[in-house]
Amino acid sequence: MRLVDAQTAWRRIQIQGRKMNVTQPLIVMVFVVSTLVGSSYGQEENHQNSRVEEGQFNDRGRMKRFSQRGQDRRGHGSQRGPGSKGTPGPMGWGNRKPEQSEFQSETGFLFVNGKVLSPPYRVAWEDEQIALNDELVDANPRDWRLRPGTIAASLQMDAIVVVDGGWVETYLAPTEQGEWLLKSFAGTPEEQLQAKAELKSLLPEKAYENLQFNAPDSDLVSHAQEVLVQLDEVENTNNGQVAAVRRMERVSYPLTMFGMILTVVAFGHLLSTRPEAVSAGINATPQAMQMVVRSIAFVVLLSALDLIWTILAWQAGQMKELNPIASQFIDNPIQLVCFKAIATFAGAALLVGLRQYRQAQLASWWMCLVCTVLTFRWLTFHSMMMG
C-alpha cells in the first residue's frame, strides 16, 4: 500500500514538473521584459525640447515675438522697387517720396502720443506727416524707424511700437519695457500701478509724461493678456529648469560616488556567483537561492538609481528619453515612478518566488549584469558633465 502511494505521489510530482517546465520560461520572460521596459535609455543632450531653438533670439539676446498666425511677417515694401536704380522703395528711404504710401496691420500694439490705439492699424503718409489711424505725427528724415513701412512691419510681427512726435521705439514683448507697457493697460490693478512706476525710469521723460494709460478695446486687452500669460509660462518654465540644473549640480557628486560603489560591488557579485548555463532543472542549494536574492536586490537598487538620474536629467534639460514606453510618462515624475516601481517589483517578485529553478537563477544574473552596465553608462555621462 505504501509503495502504491509513493508511486502515485511521484507521478504527480512528474506531472507538476512538466507543467512548471512549460510555465516557468514564460514567467522568467515576463521579468526580463518588465525590467527592460522599466529602464531608461536616455540620450544626453544639451539642447532639449524644453527647449529654445536657434533663430528665436534677436541680436541683443532677447527672444523674438511672432504673431498668432505663427509667421515672422514683414511689411510690404521692405525692398526697393524693381528697376528703380536707387529710387527709394515703400520704406521711405532717401529724400524722395516712397512708392507705397499706406500700410495695414491687424496685429501688434501701437502707442501714439501716449495713447494706446486699437487695431486694425492704418499707417500712411499724409503730406509731410505720418498718419497712425487718426493720429498725425511729424516724420523724422534722420530716423529710418519712423517710416510707415517700418512701423507696419513691426506691428505685423506683433511688436510694441511707441511713437511720440519725432521719437519712435519698437519693443518685443519679452523685453522689460514691452512687458510693462502691456501691463499698463492689460494687467491687474496692482500691475498697472507698478507699470506706471517702472515705465518712468524706462521711457524717455517726454514720452512718459504724454503716456495716458488709457484702456483700448476689449479684443486688444484680451490679446495683451494672452501674451502676458505666455510670458509667465515661459518664465516659470525657465525658472523651473534653472532650479533643476542647480539641483542636478548639488546631487551629481553624491549620486556618482554611490553609483560607483554600487556598480563595483554588483560587478564583484556577478564575477563570484555565476550560475550554471543549463536550460531547466532545480537547484535548491542555499548558495544558488541566495545568489538570486542578491542579484534581485542589486537590480532594485540600480533601477532606483537609474530612475533618480532620469528624472533629474530630464528636468534639467540634459537628456531625451529613448525608451518608447517610459517616454509616455517622463513629463509626470509621479507616473514615471509608479510605472518603474510596478515593472521592477513585479518582475523581482516572480524571480524571488522561482529562485530554486536554474532558469530563474540565470535570468536574475543576466538582469543584474544589464542594470550594472546601464549604471556604468550613467556614470560616464555624469563624469563628463562634472568635468
Side-chain angles (χ1 to χ4, degrees):
M1 186 68 181
R2 292 180 181 179
L3 180 60
V4 174
D5 294 340
Q7 291 177 348
T8 303
W10 175 248
R11 290 175 183 174
R12 291 178 180 176
I13 292 174
Q14 287 181 333
I15 294 173
Q16 292 177 358
R18 294 192 189 99
K19 293 181 179 180
M20 181 58 68
N21 289 335
V22 175
T23 59
Q24 181 186 347
L26 297 177
I27 297 176
V28 173
M29 187 180 300
V30 170
F31 167 75
V32 173
V33 173
S34 64
T35 305
L36 287 176
V37 301
S39 301
S40 170
Y41 313 126
Q43 176 183 359
E44 52 269 19
E45 294 183 351
N46 291 329
H47 49 86
Q48 182 201 349
N49 30 349
S50 214
R51 301 205 188 192
V52 178
E53 299 178 355
E54 296 180 0
Q56 291 186 347
F57 290 92
N58 57 14
D59 54 355
R60 297 184 179 180
R62 298 189 181 276
M63 187 176 290
K64 293 181 180 179
R65 291 300 304 175
F66 295 90
S67 64
Q68 287 184 334
R69 297 175 184 175
Q71 297 179 350
D72 185 2
R73 295 175 291 178
R74 295 178 172 84
H76 300 289
S78 59
Q79 300 177 353
R80 297 177 183 269
S84 59
K85 294 184 179 180
T87 302
M91 294 282 287
W93 293 89
N95 295 323
R96 300 184 183 181
K97 269 197 169 183
E99 296 177 358
Q100 184 174 345
S101 59
E102 182 172 335
F103 300 85
Q104 303 287 336
S105 178
E106 298 286 341
T107 59
F109 305 91
L110 182 59
F111 290 75
V112 180
N113 296 328
K115 184 170 63 175
V116 187
L117 303 185
S118 299
Y121 301 114
R122 172 181 172 270
V123 187
W125 287 103
E126 294 286 349
D127 295 331
E128 299 299 328
Q129 293 181 309
I130 299 176
L132 303 172
N133 286 8
D134 296 330
E135 300 287 332
L136 295 177
V137 296
D138 295 330
N140 186 353
R142 297 183 178 180
D143 193 347
W144 62 269
R145 297 172 299 177
L146 196 58
R147 299 287 188 272
T150 308
I151 295 174
S154 300
L155 292 173
Q156 289 172 2
M157 289 193 299
D158 212 16
I160 304 165
V161 181
V162 180
V163 181
D164 192 278
W167 177 82
V168 61
E169 190 63 58
T170 300
Y171 304 104
L172 300 177
T175 60
E176 185 179 9
Q177 298 94 327
E179 186 173 357
W180 286 120
L181 283 169
L182 295 182
K183 290 181 178 180
S184 67
F185 67 89
T188 62
E190 294 79 9
E191 290 176 340
Q192 293 182 13
L193 292 175
Q194 188 177 0
K196 295 180 180 180
E198 296 291 340
L199 291 173
K200 186 175 182 180
S201 60
L202 297 174
L203 296 178
E205 183 178 356
K206 182 180 178 182
Y208 176 78
E209 291 177 354
N210 293 335
L211 202 57
Q212 301 178 18
F213 299 100
N214 64 299
D217 59 29
S218 58
D219 293 338
L220 187 64
V221 173
S222 300
H223 178 44
Q225 290 174 347
E226 292 176 358
V227 173
L228 291 174
V229 170
Q230 294 174 3
L231 292 177
D232 290 338
E233 292 177 353
V234 171
E235 184 177 2
N236 293 334
T237 301
N238 292 339
N239 292 338
Q241 188 169 351
V242 170
V245 171
R246 293 177 178 174
R247 183 167 57 250
M248 186 80 173
E249 293 175 351
R250 287 196 304 267
V251 302
S252 287
Y253 182 75
L255 280 180
T256 301
M257 296 303 298
F258 176 73
M260 291 175 61
I261 297 173
L262 188 59
T263 51
V264 169
V265 176
F267 194 67
H269 160 72
L270 293 170
L271 292 177
S272 60
T273 57
R274 185 173 181 179
E276 299 177 1
V278 293
S279 60
I282 295 178
N283 184 3
T285 61
Q287 294 81 2
M289 291 191 292
Q290 290 177 4
M291 183 270 295
V292 174
V293 175
R294 286 197 298 268
S295 298
I296 295 302
F298 282 119
V299 168
V300 172
L301 290 176
L302 294 171
S303 299
L305 188 62
D306 170 73
L307 176 63
I308 295 172
W309 264 329
T310 300
I311 295 176
L312 291 176
W314 170 262
Q315 292 177 345
Q318 296 178 355
M319 65 159 285
K320 179 180 179 181
E321 180 58 71
L322 298 181
N323 187 334
I325 301 178
S327 61
Q328 304 297 321
F329 309 101
I330 193 67
D331 291 325
N332 192 325
I334 297 179
Q335 293 182 359
L336 182 62
V337 170
C338 294
F339 164 73
K340 180 79 171 181
I342 293 173
T344 303
F345 286 107
L350 288 174
L351 280 189
V352 171
L354 299 173
R355 60 187 180 275
Q356 69 270 23
Y357 294 95
R358 287 191 172 92
Q359 289 179 338
Q361 296 163 10
L362 188 62
S364 63
W365 188 91
W366 275 103
M367 293 315 303
C368 183
L369 177 61
V370 170
C371 292
T372 303
V373 173
L374 182 63
T375 306
F376 270 120
R377 178 183 178 276
W378 274 114
L379 289 172
T380 303
F381 166 55
H382 281 277
S383 297
M384 293 172 58
M385 294 300 296
M386 291 172 62

Short mmCIF file of all heavy atoms in Angstrom, two decimals, residues 357-380:
data_model
loop_
_atom_site.label_atom_id
_atom_site.label_comp_id
_atom_site.label_asym_id
_atom_site.label_seq_id
_atom_site.Cartn_x
_atom_site.Cartn_y
_atom_site.Cartn_z
N TYR A 357 14.72 27.49 -9.22
CA TYR A 357 14.86 26.98 -10.58
C TYR A 357 16.07 27.62 -11.26
O TYR A 357 16.33 28.82 -11.10
CB TYR A 357 13.59 27.25 -11.39
CG TYR A 357 12.40 26.48 -10.86
CD1 TYR A 357 11.51 27.09 -9.96
CD2 TYR A 357 12.18 25.17 -11.25
CE1 TYR A 357 10.43 26.38 -9.47
CE2 TYR A 357 11.09 24.47 -10.76
CZ TYR A 357 10.22 25.07 -9.87
OH TYR A 357 9.15 24.37 -9.38
N ARG A 358 16.78 26.82 -12.04
CA ARG A 358 18.00 27.31 -12.67
C ARG A 358 17.72 28.41 -13.70
O ARG A 358 18.52 29.31 -13.89
CB ARG A 358 18.73 26.14 -13.35
CG ARG A 358 19.41 25.17 -12.37
CD ARG A 358 20.33 24.21 -13.10
NE ARG A 358 21.12 23.41 -12.18
CZ ARG A 358 20.77 22.22 -11.72
NH1 ARG A 358 19.61 21.70 -12.09
NH2 ARG A 358 21.56 21.56 -10.89
N GLN A 359 16.57 28.35 -14.39
CA GLN A 359 16.23 29.41 -15.34
C GLN A 359 16.06 30.76 -14.63
O GLN A 359 16.51 31.79 -15.13
CB GLN A 359 14.95 29.05 -16.08
CG GLN A 359 15.13 27.91 -17.08
CD GLN A 359 13.83 27.57 -17.78
OE1 GLN A 359 12.75 27.87 -17.26
NE2 GLN A 359 13.93 26.93 -18.94
N ALA A 360 15.44 30.76 -13.48
CA ALA A 360 15.29 31.99 -12.72
C ALA A 360 16.64 32.49 -12.23
O ALA A 360 16.90 33.70 -12.20
CB ALA A 360 14.34 31.77 -11.54
N GLN A 361 17.50 31.57 -11.83
CA GLN A 361 18.84 31.97 -11.37
C GLN A 361 19.64 32.60 -12.50
O GLN A 361 20.32 33.61 -12.32
CB GLN A 361 19.55 30.75 -10.81
CG GLN A 361 18.90 30.18 -9.57
CD GLN A 361 19.35 28.76 -9.24
OE1 GLN A 361 20.31 28.26 -9.84
NE2 GLN A 361 18.68 28.12 -8.29
N LEU A 362 19.54 32.00 -13.69
CA LEU A 362 20.27 32.55 -14.83
C LEU A 362 19.69 33.90 -15.25
O LEU A 362 20.44 34.84 -15.57
CB LEU A 362 20.19 31.56 -16.00
CG LEU A 362 21.07 31.87 -17.22
CD1 LEU A 362 22.54 31.87 -16.83
CD2 LEU A 362 20.79 30.88 -18.33
N ALA A 363 18.38 34.04 -15.24
CA ALA A 363 17.75 35.30 -15.63
C ALA A 363 18.10 36.43 -14.66
O ALA A 363 18.37 37.56 -15.07
CB ALA A 363 16.23 35.13 -15.71
N SER A 364 18.09 36.14 -13.35
CA SER A 364 18.43 37.17 -12.37
C SER A 364 19.87 37.63 -12.52
O SER A 364 20.18 38.82 -12.39
CB SER A 364 18.18 36.65 -10.96
OG SER A 364 19.03 35.55 -10.68
N TRP A 365 20.79 36.69 -12.83
CA TRP A 365 22.20 37.06 -13.01
C TRP A 365 22.37 37.97 -14.21
O TRP A 365 23.06 38.99 -14.15
CB TRP A 365 23.02 35.79 -13.17
CG TRP A 365 24.51 36.04 -13.19
CD1 TRP A 365 25.35 36.04 -12.11
CD2 TRP A 365 25.32 36.31 -14.34
NE1 TRP A 365 26.64 36.30 -12.51
CE2 TRP A 365 26.65 36.47 -13.88
CE3 TRP A 365 25.06 36.43 -15.70
CZ2 TRP A 365 27.71 36.75 -14.73
CZ3 TRP A 365 26.11 36.71 -16.56
CH2 TRP A 365 27.42 36.87 -16.07
N TRP A 366 21.72 37.64 -15.32
CA TRP A 366 21.85 38.45 -16.53
C TRP A 366 21.20 39.82 -16.37
O TRP A 366 21.72 40.83 -16.86
CB TRP A 366 21.23 37.72 -17.73
CG TRP A 366 22.18 36.77 -18.36
CD1 TRP A 366 22.19 35.41 -18.25
CD2 TRP A 366 23.28 37.10 -19.21
NE1 TRP A 366 23.23 34.86 -18.96
CE2 TRP A 366 23.92 35.88 -19.57
CE3 TRP A 366 23.80 38.29 -19.69
CZ2 TRP A 366 25.03 35.84 -20.40
CZ3 TRP A 366 24.91 38.25 -20.53
CH2 TRP A 366 25.52 37.04 -20.86
N MET A 367 20.08 39.91 -15.67
CA MET A 367 19.45 41.21 -15.48
C MET A 367 20.28 42.09 -14.55
O MET A 367 20.33 43.31 -14.72
CB MET A 367 18.03 41.04 -14.92
CG MET A 367 17.07 40.39 -15.91
SD MET A 367 17.19 41.05 -17.59
CE MET A 367 16.88 42.78 -17.31
N CYS A 368 20.94 41.48 -13.59
CA CYS A 368 21.86 42.25 -12.76
C CYS A 368 23.01 42.80 -13.60
O CYS A 368 23.44 43.94 -13.41
CB CYS A 368 22.39 41.37 -11.62
SG CYS A 368 23.49 42.23 -10.47
N LEU A 369 23.49 42.01 -14.56
CA LEU A 369 24.55 42.47 -15.45
C LEU A 369 24.06 43.63 -16.32
O LEU A 369 24.78 44.63 -16.51
CB LEU A 369 25.03 41.32 -16.32
CG LEU A 369 26.11 41.66 -17.36
CD1 LEU A 369 27.37 42.17 -16.68
CD2 LEU A 369 26.41 40.44 -18.24
N VAL A 370 22.84 43.53 -16.85
CA VAL A 370 22.30 44.60 -17.70
C VAL A 370 22.18 45.91 -16.92
O VAL A 370 22.57 46.98 -17.39
CB VAL A 370 20.93 44.17 -18.28
CG1 VAL A 370 20.24 45.35 -18.95
CG2 VAL A 370 21.11 43.04 -19.27
N CYS A 371 21.64 45.84 -15.71
CA CYS A 371 21.49 47.05 -14.90
C CYS A 371 22.85 47.62 -14.49
O CYS A 371 23.00 48.85 -14.40
CB CYS A 371 20.65 46.74 -13.66
SG CYS A 371 18.93 46.36 -14.02
N THR A 372 23.83 46.77 -14.26
CA THR A 372 25.17 47.25 -13.92
C THR A 372 25.79 47.99 -15.09
O THR A 372 26.38 49.07 -14.92
CB THR A 372 26.06 46.08 -13.50
OG1 THR A 372 25.45 45.38 -12.40
CG2 THR A 372 27.44 46.57 -13.07
N VAL A 373 25.67 47.44 -16.29
CA VAL A 373 26.20 48.12 -17.48
C VAL A 373 25.47 49.44 -17.71
O VAL A 373 26.09 50.46 -18.07
CB VAL A 373 26.07 47.19 -18.70
CG1 VAL A 373 26.45 47.93 -19.99
CG2 VAL A 373 26.94 45.96 -18.53
N LEU A 374 24.16 49.47 -17.51
CA LEU A 374 23.40 50.71 -17.67
C LEU A 374 23.86 51.77 -16.68
O LEU A 374 23.96 52.95 -17.01
CB LEU A 374 21.90 50.42 -17.50
CG LEU A 374 20.96 51.61 -17.69
CD1 LEU A 374 21.05 52.14 -19.11
CD2 LEU A 374 19.52 51.20 -17.38
N THR A 375 24.16 51.37 -15.47
CA THR A 375 24.65 52.32 -14.47
C THR A 375 26.04 52.84 -14.83
O THR A 375 26.35 54.02 -14.61
CB THR A 375 24.67 51.67 -13.08
OG1 THR A 375 23.38 51.13 -12.78
CG2 THR A 375 25.04 52.68 -12.01
N PHE A 376 26.89 51.98 -15.40
CA PHE A 376 28.18 52.44 -15.89
C PHE A 376 28.01 53.53 -16.95
O PHE A 376 28.78 54.49 -17.00
CB PHE A 376 28.98 51.27 -16.47
CG PHE A 376 29.85 50.58 -15.46
CD1 PHE A 376 29.67 49.23 -15.18
CD2 PHE A 376 30.84 51.27 -14.78
CE1 PHE A 376 30.46 48.59 -14.25
CE2 PHE A 376 31.64 50.63 -13.84
CZ PHE A 376 31.45 49.29 -13.58
N ARG A 377 26.98 53.38 -17.77
CA ARG A 377 26.72 54.41 -18.79
C ARG A 377 26.34 55.73 -18.13
O ARG A 377 26.80 56.80 -18.54
CB ARG A 377 25.59 53.94 -19.71
CG ARG A 377 25.20 54.95 -20.78
CD ARG A 377 24.03 54.43 -21.59
NE ARG A 377 23.62 55.38 -22.60
CZ ARG A 377 22.80 56.40 -22.38
NH1 ARG A 377 22.31 56.59 -21.16
NH2 ARG A 377 22.45 57.23 -23.34
N TRP A 378 25.49 55.69 -17.11
CA TRP A 378 25.13 56.91 -16.39
C TRP A 378 26.37 57.54 -15.74
O TRP A 378 26.52 58.76 -15.73
CB TRP A 378 24.08 56.60 -15.32
CG TRP A 378 22.67 56.62 -15.80
CD1 TRP A 378 21.81 55.56 -15.89
CD2 TRP A 378 21.94 57.75 -16.27
NE1 TRP A 378 20.60 55.97 -16.38
CE2 TRP A 378 20.65 57.31 -16.62
CE3 TRP A 378 22.26 59.10 -16.43
CZ2 TRP A 378 19.67 58.17 -17.11
CZ3 TRP A 378 21.28 59.96 -16.93
CH2 TRP A 378 20.01 59.48 -17.26
N LEU A 379 27.22 56.70 -15.17
CA LEU A 379 28.42 57.23 -14.53
C LEU A 379 29.32 57.93 -15.54
O LEU A 379 29.90 58.99 -15.24
CB LEU A 379 29.19 56.09 -13.85
CG LEU A 379 28.55 55.49 -12.60
CD1 LEU A 379 29.31 54.25 -12.15
CD2 LEU A 379 28.50 56.51 -11.48
N THR A 380 29.44 57.37 -16.73
CA THR A 380 30.26 58.00 -17.76
C THR A 380 29.66 59.36 -18.16
O THR A 380 30.39 60.36 -18.28
CB THR A 380 30.34 57.10 -18.99
OG1 THR A 380 30.85 55.83 -18.60
CG2 THR A 380 31.22 57.71 -20.05
#
